[in-house]
């Protein structure tokens, strides 16, 4: 059997661990620039505040709300404690995300799930919901349906079908809005409809990934527990730049910052890339994205910045467009140890920068082009990077 542990409102719960007076209050956790709500308590959700809403729109809706700035360093510390407890209960644990883990188990009773739940609450202080089922997809569905602070176990087909009945297909991890729309065109609206659909038809419509989910919903495990990090397909850095801007200096500074973050990630994972992609999202124009091939496989700041600067004026069209989001993406990844070095590379400066920042603190030594970002580097909350989570695996 497979278990799924999912923290309830994790960021808010983590804040309540160190600030107990927040218990029972409507709490919103703010993102990088202190503007948008990236997580909320059940109390704030009940007041009608959605994730992603700016604080100035949320305050009139929930005047008693308390808003705190995110602290990913703290969340990671609690997440590691949760992981250690689950690893005590199971020899095979998949670190699925900062607040979720899958694990194999020979115990599949409500009592076992309740004991694990109580252990995490007592030792970490974070409430979790737990689901146990024959497959990962069913385990996640049952833990989601047990929130908040509940446990659910599927032992037989009767309980499986009861879980799937009347539940929208979008509740299945892997079925996003576009897939749901395609399924709806063929009369498939609920998880039960999906499980009862013709398997070959599902594969034709949603490829092998859809077929895997069909098997999982019908109780046959085909998606394995991954106890090791899968290889990266690409590495990306970016996100919101705060208030949308068409200021060339500010947009340029954010590109440089994200290239520095990207190099930091590539160095950490000892990989390099063959090409770089720059994507800009605008408030008043469609999203644009372009790729630049690199001269060999690279992971150094100079080469990636040169590629990004080549792309920037070509992606930023027209220049009057307001940029509010960007991604710098390393593609064509390969191990750093296997790459062919260029005769013209000057690794000494990169190594010195890396060594100083490791010893003195992140971004102590950084490009002068990022100096205009006083709001970013003046905020200690930006010293830690949630994008250290790749895909669904981190640490």
């Amino acid at each position: 059997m497979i278990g799924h542990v999912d923290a309830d409102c994790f960021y808010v719960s983590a804040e309540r661990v160190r600030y107990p007076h927040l218990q029972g209050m409507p709490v919103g956790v703010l993102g990088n620039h202190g503007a948008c709500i990236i997580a909320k308590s059940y109390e704030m959700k009940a007041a009608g505040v959605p994730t992603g809403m700016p604080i100035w729109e949320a305050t009139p809706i929930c005047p008693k709300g308390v808003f705190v700035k995110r602290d990913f360093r703290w969340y990671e510390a609690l997440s590691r404690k949760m992981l250690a407890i689950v690893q005590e209960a199971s020899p095979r644990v998949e670190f699925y995300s900062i607040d979720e883990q899958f694990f194999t188990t020979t115990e599949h009773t409500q009592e076992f799930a309740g004991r694990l739940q109580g252990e995490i609450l007592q030792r970490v202080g974070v409430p979790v919901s737990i689901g146990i089922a024959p497959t990962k997809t069913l385990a996640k569905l049952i833990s989601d349906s047990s929130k908040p602070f509940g446990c659910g176990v599927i032992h037989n087909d009767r309980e499986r079908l009861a879980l799937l009945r009347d539940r929208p297909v979008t509740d299945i991890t892997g079925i996003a809005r576009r897939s749901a729309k395609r399924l709806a065109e063929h009369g498939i609206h609920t998880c039960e409809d999906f499980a009862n659909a013709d398997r070959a038809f599902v594969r034709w419509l949603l490829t092998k990934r859809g077929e895997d989910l069909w098997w999982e919903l019908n109780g046959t495990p085909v998606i394995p527990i991954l106890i090791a990090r899968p290889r990266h397909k690409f590495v990306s850095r970016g996100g919101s730049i705060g208030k949308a801007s068409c200021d060339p200096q500010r947009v340029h500074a954010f590109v440089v910052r994200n290239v520095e973050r990207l190099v930091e990630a590539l160095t950490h994972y000892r990989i390099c890339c063959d090409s770089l992609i720059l994507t800009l999202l605008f408030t008043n124009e469609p999203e644009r994205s372009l790729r630049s091939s690199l001269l060999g496989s690279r992971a150094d700041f100079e080469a990636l910045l040169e590629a990004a600067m080549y792309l920037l004026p070509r992606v930023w069209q027209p220049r009057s467009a307001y940029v509010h989001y960007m991604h710098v993406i390393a593609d064509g990844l390969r191990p750093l140890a296997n790459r062919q070095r260029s005769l013209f590379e000057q690794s000494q400066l990169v190594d010195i920068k890396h060594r100083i920042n490791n010893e003195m603190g992140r971004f102590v030594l950084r490009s002068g082009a990022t100096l205009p970002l006083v709001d970013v580097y003046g905020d200690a909350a930006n010293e830690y990077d949630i994008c250290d989570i790749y895909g669904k695996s981190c640490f």
Side-chain angles (χ1 to χ4, degrees):
M1 296 284 273
I2 294 174
H4 178 245
V5 175
D6 192 358
D8 299 331
C9 301
F10 180 57
Y11 294 172
V12 172
S13 297
E15 295 296 342
R16 285 171 170 167
V17 171
R18 57 181 177 181
Y19 304 123
H21 68 281
L22 295 177
Q23 291 290 350
M25 298 173 70
V27 179
V29 177
L30 301 174
N32 278 356
H33 302 285
C36 292
I37 296 163
I38 59 171
K40 59 192 181 300
S41 66
Y42 288 106
E43 294 85 357
M44 185 164 281
K45 182 179 180 181
V49 176
T51 300
M53 177 176 276
I55 186 172
W56 53 85
E57 292 180 14
T59 304
I61 297 173
C62 186
K64 293 184 178 178
V66 177
F67 299 93
V68 294
K69 192 74 179 287
R70 93 299 188 270
D71 182 352
F72 292 128
R73 197 184 303 271
W74 173 243
Y75 307 154
E76 180 184 322
L78 296 190
S79 180
R80 286 183 184 275
K81 287 186 178 181
M82 280 177 53
L83 177 64
I85 294 170
V86 179
Q87 286 173 329
E88 290 173 13
S90 170
R92 292 181 61 80
V93 180
E94 174 180 339
F95 193 90
Y96 187 67
S97 70
I98 197 166
D99 59 346
E100 294 179 77
Q101 294 110 37
F102 287 100
F103 62 96
T104 57
T105 179
T106 55
E107 295 188 75
H108 38 84
T109 63
Q110 288 278 355
E111 290 73 21
F112 166 73
R115 281 201 309 275
L116 181 58
Q117 186 183 49
E119 192 76 8
I120 294 172
L121 183 62
Q122 182 186 0
R123 291 166 57 183
V124 185
V126 171
V128 300
S129 298
I130 296 178
I132 298 177
T135 71
K136 286 176 74 174
T137 304
L138 289 172
K140 184 164 172 54
L141 271 179
I142 192 71
S143 69
D144 287 347
S145 70
S146 303
K147 282 182 172 294
F149 200 57
C151 299
V153 181
I154 293 178
H155 296 97
N156 52 49
D157 264 359
R158 181 180 57 78
E159 292 171 346
R160 180 181 64 84
L161 292 172
L163 173 68
L164 302 184
R165 194 164 300 129
D166 299 329
R167 187 173 297 280
V169 287
T170 47
D171 281 4
I172 305 170
T173 299
I175 300 292
R177 189 178 303 173
R178 186 178 299 178
S179 296
K181 185 179 177 184
R182 298 183 70 188
L183 290 166
E185 290 169 357
H186 298 277
I188 300 171
H189 302 279
T190 67
C191 295
E192 185 179 27
D193 293 338
F194 189 89
N196 290 333
D198 182 77
R199 177 182 60 79
F201 173 75
V202 170
R203 183 179 180 110
W204 171 79
L205 196 66
L206 301 181
T207 70
K208 182 179 180 302
R209 175 64 178 165
E211 184 186 4
D212 287 349
L213 294 174
W214 182 92
W215 282 113
E216 290 256 321
L217 280 192
N218 281 291
T220 301
V222 295
I223 302 177
I225 296 280
L226 301 174
I227 58 174
R229 179 197 298 276
R231 289 183 62 181
H232 300 107
K233 292 182 179 175
F234 58 85
V235 177
S236 172
R237 283 293 183 271
S240 168
I241 70 166
K243 190 176 180 181
S245 175
C246 62
D247 176 2
Q249 196 177 34
R250 184 169 176 82
V251 173
H252 174 266
F254 262 106
V255 172
V256 177
R257 168 179 161 78
N258 287 321
V259 170
E260 286 194 319
R261 293 169 63 205
L262 186 65
V263 170
E264 184 184 57
L266 295 175
T267 304
H268 178 76
Y269 290 110
R270 299 182 183 282
I271 50 181
C272 52
C273 60
D274 290 343
S275 62
L276 189 82
I277 301 168
L278 177 65
T279 300
L280 297 182
L281 283 75
F282 308 101
T283 56
N284 51 343
E285 294 288 339
E287 171 185 335
R288 283 177 60 85
S289 182
L290 285 175
R291 175 193 301 266
S292 174
S293 296
L294 302 171
L295 188 61
S297 301
R298 307 295 293 264
D300 56 290
F301 176 69
E302 287 78 9
L304 298 189
L305 183 63
E306 184 181 352
M309 289 301 107
Y310 168 80
L311 292 172
L312 180 58
R314 291 163 175 80
V315 177
W316 193 2
Q317 295 289 344
R319 286 298 294 270
S320 58
Y322 277 71
V323 179
H324 73 110
Y325 232 82
M326 71 170 63
H327 297 290
V328 182
I329 304 166
D331 198 9
L333 302 180
R334 61 189 69 242
L336 196 57
N338 296 347
R339 78 185 186 97
Q340 178 71 46
R341 295 180 71 93
S342 164
L343 290 173
F344 305 102
E345 284 182 44
Q346 298 178 353
S347 59
Q348 191 178 8
L349 183 60
V350 177
D351 294 341
I352 291 172
K353 180 180 175 183
H354 182 63
R355 216 165 41 240
I356 290 176
N357 285 340
N358 267 350
E359 293 178 7
M360 305 297 292
R362 196 171 181 229
F363 297 121
V364 165
L365 193 61
R366 59 187 168 93
S367 170
T370 60
L371 287 175
L373 303 179
V374 290
D375 52 331
V376 175
Y377 290 98
D379 184 347
N382 290 313
E383 290 175 4
Y384 196 72
D385 197 351
I386 190 61
C387 287
D388 290 332
I389 299 173
Y390 291 100
K392 281 291 186 179
S393 300
C394 66
F395 304 161

